[in-house]
Amino acid sequence: MDGRDLVRSVREIGSGRAARGVRAAWRRRRIDAAGLPRRGAERARVPGQVESAEPGPGGGVIRFSRSELRIMVAVNGAVFWGWDGAAPGPSYALAGSGPEPDPRAVLEPDKDGGWRVVAERVTVVVSRHGAVEVCTPGGVVLRRELPPRWWEPVEGGVGRWMQRAEVAADARFFGLGGRASGPRLRDGSYRLWNTDPGGSFAPGDDPLYLTMPVQLVVADAGTHLMFYDTTWDGTVLLREGEEGAGSGHDRAGRCELRMDGGPLRCWVMVGPPARVLLTWASLTGAPALPPAWALGHQHARWGFGSEQEVRRIVAGYQERGLPLDAVHLDIDHYDDHRVFTVDRERFPKLPVLAEELRRDGIRLVSVVDPAVKAAPGDAVYDGGTAVDAFVRDASGRPVRGVVWAGESVYPDFTHPRVRQWWGGLYEERLEQGFAGFWHDMNEPVSFNAFGEPTLPRSARHALEGRGGDHREAHNVYGLCMARAGYEGLRELAPQERPFLFTRSGWAGMQRYGGTWSGDVATGWPGLRASLSLVLGLGLCGVPYSGPDVGGFDGSPSPELYLRWFQLGAYLPLFRTHASHRAGRREPWEFGSEVLEHARAALLERRRLLPYFVTLSHLARRTGAPYVRPVWWSAPEDRALRDCEDTFLLGDSLLVAPVLEPGADRRVVRLPRGRWYDTATERVYEGPGQVLVDAPLSRIPVFARAGAVLPVRGDSGLELEAWAPAPGRTGGGLVIRDAGDGWDVPEIERYVSRHQGGKVAVTREGEDGVSEPEWPVRVRGLG
C-alpha cells in the first residue's frame, strides 16, 4: 500500500470504511497465508511422443508418453480437445451438457506419426509431439498450437500450464471479454481475472470487470473463435504478425496463454463470423431476450436520494417531450446500504411510485449487490445463515469483507441450494414494484487498500459439489449470481422475460442477460473505450451491453455529453448514469442546444425501436450481436479489419460516432456496396473512405442500399425501404412481439426491388409473395 492507495480508499468509501478495509486486507492476507499451499519445487512436463490412439465418437483419444489428448468434433461443427484426459464437462460456459459428437468425424493416421480428424468445416491435425493445427477444409492452417507445458508441484497440488499458438501474419485478435482498448487487441499482455479497478477506468487499464478466455481471430484465410475453458487466473500475451515486405518471410502472429491452474481444454469454431457466433451460441446458450422496454432509454444516478427527486426527474423528461422507459435506483435507496431493503424515510411508498411510473410506460430497475451485511437481525443475513449460504475460509469461518454496508459476508453462488435461496429473495424486489435488475460489485468486491479488492484466494466454494477455492470460483462468481437471479425471476414471474444485466461475468453469461461498461472515465478516451467494450463483448457472444453515457465520474463538457448521448442512442443498452459526485446528467442540464439535439437522438431511438426488437430476436436465434464491426460481412477486407471507430447496427445501418472534440466532419470507411446518408440521402459507393459532415446536431448514419427496416411511425409500425442499387435487390427482416412474454414470434421477410420504374417492397414467405400489411416509405430516390 502507498499513500495514493489509502487516499483513494478514503475518498471512495469514507474514512470509517477505509479503516475497516485496511483491517479486511490484513485479514485476507492472513487467511491466504494459512489456507493456500506453499508453492515449492516444481517439475516441468511436456506431452512427449505419440504412443497410441483410440478412435471414439467424433474423434478419439491420442496417448503420448506423458499425457493424453481427447479430441471430439461436435454436431454443431465446434471442435473440442482436452489434455490429460480433460472432458468437455463440467463447465460453467456450456449450455447443458454440451453438444453431441459428430459421427461422421473419424480419427485417422496422418503423416510422420501424427493423427488427424477431418470434419465438414475444419480439419484438425495432431503431430507426434503434441502440436495441434486447425485447418480449413482446403488445408490452410488457421492456428497452430504448440505442444503445451505444465509445471507441477513436486509434493503434489495444482499445476500451472502454458499454451503457445501461432496464427497467420495478417491475423487480427479480438475478444477476451470487456477490454477498454480495442476492439482490435494490439500487442500486449491481457489478464484473465475479473477486477474492479477501484475507480474510473480509461483505455489502457487492464483487467476490468469482465474477462473471458475467448479469442476471435480474423485473417485472410478465415475466421476462428478459440475458447480455453478454464476459470483460473491467467494471462494472455498477444503479438500480431508481420508480413515480409517483398522478402517472402512472414512473422507469424503469436498468442501465449499462462494459467495458474485448471484443465487445459478448449473449443475452436471455424467459418465466417456469423457462422462462428451461431456455433458459439449453440455451445454456450442463446442470449436472453430483454423485454421491449429495456431497448428504450434508461436513466440512472447514484444519488437520487428520494421519491420526490425521482418524480422531479421523470416530470422533467415528460415536460420536455423526452422519451424515457426506465429509471434505475442505486444503493442510496437501500436502508443503510443493506441489499433487499428500502429506506422508508426517503422512499416511504416505493410500490406506489413504481405503479405510477408504470402507468406512464416507465419501469423501475433496482441495483442488487452480492455482499450481505454481517448483522444478526438483518433478514437476508439471518436467512443465509440458516441455509449455510455464505463463503467460508479454509478453517470453516465465514469470510468477511468490507463493502458499502460495512462488514459483509458473501453468498456462495456456486452451490445450487444457495442460488435457489438467493433467487427467492427477488420476491421482495418484485413486491416493491421493480421490473428489472442490475448486478453490481460482483467480481466480487471487498474494499481494501492493499491491491486486489476481492475475497481471499483460499476461500472455499462448493463448485457444484466438486469443492474448490476462490482461485477457481472467482471469475464465475458474477456469472453464477446472474444465474441465481435469472432463475429466481423465471420462477417468481414466469409470464415475464427477466431483465437483468451484470457488471461481472464469464463465458456463457448471455444466457442470463447483458452487461454494461462499469465505471468508465469521463473524457474523450472514455467515450472511445465505450465503443470498444460493446464491440468486443458482442464478439464474445454478449450482444446486450452499453456504457454509462457521459462517463461514471467527473463532469463532461456539453459537447462530450452530447456526442456520448448520440452514440448511446445506437447501442443496445442506452443508459445515462453517473456517480453522486458527478452532478446531474439529465439532457436539460447542459443547455438548450444540447437539449434540442439530445431530443432528436431520443426520438430517433424511439423510431428505431422495432428494429432493435428485431435485432434482439435475431441475437437470440443466431448469436449475432446487434452492434457489429464493419468487417462482419467481409472479414477478408484488411482495411475494414483495422477500422475501430465505426460499426454496423444489424445488417442495415452503419453508424459513425464522433469520438474527437471539436469535430464537425469525419472520415468514414464504408464496406462494399451502396450506402445512403440517412440525413441527406446522398449516395456513397464502397468500399472506400468518404468525408462527411458531422454537425453537433447528429452523428453520421448510413443505410445499406436495398435495406428494409421496421420503424415506428405516426400510426404504428412502418417499413422504411432504401432504394436498391440499379439491377440489384435488397431486403430485411421484421420480428414483432408483444413487448414481453415467451411467445415465439414469426419472422417476416421483405424484399425490395426495382419494378416498373419504381421501388417495390413485397413480403415473401412459405405461402408465396404478398403485399406488406404495413405502410412502406421508400427513401433514397432523390
Side-chain angles (χ1 to χ4, degrees):
M1 179 183 70
D2 60 23
R4 287 177 296 178
D5 291 327
L6 185 57
V7 168
R8 185 182 68 184
S9 295
V10 172
R11 184 177 69 248
E12 289 292 323
I13 64 177
S15 58
R17 290 198 184 96
R20 291 195 294 271
V22 171
R23 292 195 296 271
W26 281 117
R27 188 164 60 232
R28 180 171 72 89
R29 290 187 172 186
R30 289 197 305 270
I31 292 172
D32 280 346
L36 287 178
R38 295 183 179 273
R39 186 174 291 277
E42 295 179 320
R43 180 184 296 110
R45 175 168 62 91
V46 295
Q49 290 202 37
V50 167
E51 293 187 340
S52 63
E54 180 182 338
V61 176
I62 305 172
R63 294 184 176 87
F64 297 79
S65 59
R66 288 180 290 275
S67 185
E68 68 177 34
L69 176 68
R70 182 190 304 272
I71 187 167
M72 180 198 74
V73 179
V75 290
N76 62 0
V79 179
F80 168 85
W81 69 78
W83 286 97
D84 288 350
S91 170
Y92 280 106
L94 302 188
S97 59
E100 296 294 321
D102 185 349
R104 299 171 297 175
V106 178
L107 181 67
E108 58 187 29
D110 195 47
K111 60 184 179 181
D112 298 328
W115 293 81
R116 69 178 181 178
V117 178
V118 180
E120 180 182 1
R121 303 172 193 165
V122 62
T123 298
V124 180
V125 179
V126 182
S127 78
R128 60 184 175 138
H129 294 290
V132 181
E133 290 184 346
V134 179
C135 308
T136 67
V140 178
V141 178
L142 296 177
R143 187 182 191 94
R144 184 171 188 265
E145 300 261 318
L146 304 179
R149 182 180 294 268
W150 294 266
W151 289 268
E152 298 164 335
V154 172
E155 298 181 357
V158 176
R160 54 193 177 94
W161 53 266
M162 176 183 70
Q163 176 69 72
R164 292 175 175 168
E166 296 177 348
V167 297
D170 65 282
R172 296 290 182 260
F173 296 100
F174 301 86
L176 295 183
R179 304 288 167 171
S181 56
R184 172 184 161 196
L185 301 176
R186 264 67 173 187
D187 295 357
S189 178
Y190 300 87
R191 192 177 176 195
L192 299 169
W193 186 255
N194 295 346
T195 303
D196 176 6
S200 298
F201 68 86
D205 290 332
D206 187 271
L208 297 178
Y209 314 96
L210 203 167
T211 67
M212 294 185 199
V214 179
Q215 301 173 24
L216 190 76
V217 184
V218 184
D220 286 356
T223 300
H224 71 273
L225 183 148
M226 193 77 185
F227 168 51
Y228 295 95
D229 192 357
T230 178
T231 65
W232 287 64
D233 192 358
T235 301
V236 180
L237 183 65
L238 299 179
R239 291 286 183 269
E240 290 184 347
E242 184 176 350
E243 294 180 297
S247 68
H249 297 287
D250 293 346
R251 177 170 59 81
R254 288 179 169 83
C255 167
E256 179 180 293
L257 179 66
R258 292 179 176 265
M259 301 299 296
D260 286 351
L264 203 178
R265 59 184 182 182
C266 55
W267 290 87
V268 65
M269 284 132 265
V270 174
R275 180 183 290 277
V276 166
L277 267 293
L278 174 62
T279 305
W280 177 243
S282 70
L283 185 71
T284 61
L289 187 65
W293 60 264
L295 297 170
H297 175 53
Q298 306 178 49
H299 186 72
R301 192 171 79 223
W302 178 13
F304 276 129
S306 68
E307 289 182 13
Q308 291 75 17
E309 177 67 3
V310 173
R311 286 192 171 92
R312 189 189 72 81
I313 296 301
V314 171
Y317 273 91
Q318 294 171 335
E319 291 166 2
R320 295 169 176 85
L322 304 175
L324 180 64
D325 296 273
V327 172
H328 295 217
L329 299 188
D330 211 323
I331 55 174
D332 50 295
H333 88 280
Y334 283 143
D335 181 11
D336 192 28
H337 297 106
R338 293 179 299 125
V339 68
F340 297 115
T341 65
V342 175
D343 186 329
R344 299 296 179 181
E345 291 186 3
R346 293 183 294 163
F347 293 86
K349 297 180 180 179
L350 191 53
V352 175
L353 172 64
E355 181 58 31
E356 291 175 358
L357 294 180
R358 187 181 286 262
R359 286 198 295 265
D360 290 333
I362 301 170
R363 269 70 170 186
L364 271 186
V365 176
S366 171
V367 69
V368 176
D369 290 352
V372 176
K373 185 176 181 65
D378 178 272
V380 179
Y381 177 77
D382 291 345
T385 301
V387 298
D388 190 20
F390 302 120
V391 175
R392 296 178 178 270
D393 64 21
S395 300
R397 296 183 297 267
V399 172
R400 292 196 175 193
V402 177
V403 200
W404 301 115
E407 290 276 336
S408 302
V409 290
Y410 299 81
D412 182 7
F413 295 115
T414 69
H415 197 302
R417 183 189 66 246
V418 177
R419 289 197 296 268
Q420 185 177 17
W421 163 73
W422 184 266
L425 298 177
Y426 288 76
E427 184 174 12
E428 180 271 342
R429 297 284 87 185
L430 296 177
E431 290 175 350
Q432 295 294 338
F434 289 107
F437 305 92
W438 52 299
H439 289 177
D440 202 358
M441 311 295 286
N442 59 341
E443 288 69 38
V445 171
S446 174
F447 294 138
N448 72 74
F450 287 82
E452 289 187 345
T454 186
L455 300 186
R457 291 185 172 229
S458 59
R460 306 301 298 172
H461 290 266
L463 291 167
E464 317 307 320
R466 293 180 288 111
D469 59 39
H470 197 66
R471 293 175 296 173
E472 183 177 359
H474 174 84
N475 279 336
V476 294
Y477 190 87
L479 171 76
C480 293
M481 180 186 177
R483 178 180 176 181
Y486 184 86
E487 291 177 348
L489 292 167
R490 284 296 309 268
E491 185 172 339
L492 293 167
Q495 302 305 316
E496 299 178 4
R497 302 199 290 261
F499 175 55
L500 186 154
F501 61 103
T502 174
R503 191 169 78 172
S504 182
W506 202 65
M509 60 174 287
Q510 74 277 357
R511 299 191 295 264
Y512 312 118
T515 185
W516 90 105
S517 65
D519 301 346
V520 62
T522 297
W524 292 93
L527 171 60
R528 186 177 289 273
S530 297
L531 179 57
S532 298
L533 284 160
V534 174
L535 280 166
L537 286 164
L539 295 176
C540 291
V542 184
Y544 184 88
S545 67
D548 285 345
V549 168
F552 178 71
D553 217 346
S555 301
S557 68
E559 180 192 11
L560 173 60
Y561 174 82
L562 179 60
R563 291 308 195 187
W564 217 319
F565 200 91
Q566 291 167 334
L567 167 62
Y570 293 95
L571 300 181
L573 174 59
F574 181 19
R575 184 178 84 144
T576 48
H577 179 51
S579 161
H580 62 297
R581 295 182 298 270
R584 302 188 185 282
R585 286 287 174 82
E586 294 75 43
W588 56 88
E589 298 291 343
F590 293 87
S592 58
E593 184 179 19
V594 169
L595 173 61
E596 177 187 353
H597 301 328
R599 178 186 291 109
L602 282 170
L603 293 176
E604 180 64 6
R605 174 59 172 245
R606 179 59 58 91
R607 192 181 76 89
L608 289 175
L609 190 58
Y611 185 52
F612 275 92
V613 169
T614 295
L615 293 179
S616 70
H617 280 278
L618 290 176
R620 181 165 180 80
R621 297 180 189 219
T622 69
Y626 310 33
V627 170
R628 308 165 187 177
V630 290
W631 48 259
W632 178 257
S633 298
E636 71 283 353
D637 188 324
R638 297 190 179 188
L640 293 180
R641 290 208 296 261
D642 294 339
C643 179
E644 300 176 285
D645 61 357
T646 306
F647 63 91
L648 296 172
L649 181 60
D651 285 331
S652 299
L653 296 179
L654 183 145
V655 182
V658 175
L659 305 176
E660 302 291 341
D664 59 5
R665 305 188 81 191
R666 64 151 291 176
V667 173
V668 179
R669 181 169 292 280
L670 298 175
R672 182 178 303 277
R674 171 171 290 192
W675 297 87
Y676 295 96
D677 186 319
T678 58
T680 65
E681 300 194 16
R682 182 176 174 180
V683 177
Y684 297 92
E685 297 289 343
Q689 289 185 324
V690 296
L691 180 64
V692 297
D693 291 333
L696 196 61
S697 60
R698 61 179 177 86
I699 58 175
V701 178
F702 298 82
R704 190 189 300 271
V708 179
L709 290 80
V711 299
R712 176 178 289 185
D714 294 336
S715 57
L717 184 70
E718 293 181 355
L719 300 180
E720 181 174 272
W722 290 87
R728 306 296 296 272
T729 62
L733 304 176
V734 178
I735 304 178
R736 297 175 290 135
D737 67 12
D740 209 337
W742 299 99
D743 292 339
V744 179
E746 178 186 3
I747 298 179
E748 302 174 17
R749 303 178 184 275
Y750 294 91
V751 174
S752 62
R753 57 172 58 88
H754 291 280
Q755 183 174 307
K758 51 183 186 177
V759 173
V761 175
T762 55
R763 178 176 176 178
E764 299 192 356
E766 296 180 356
D767 298 331
V769 178
S770 60
E771 293 295 319
E773 60 178 296
W774 315 109
V776 178
R777 180 188 177 199
V778 178
R779 301 184 64 186
L781 296 174

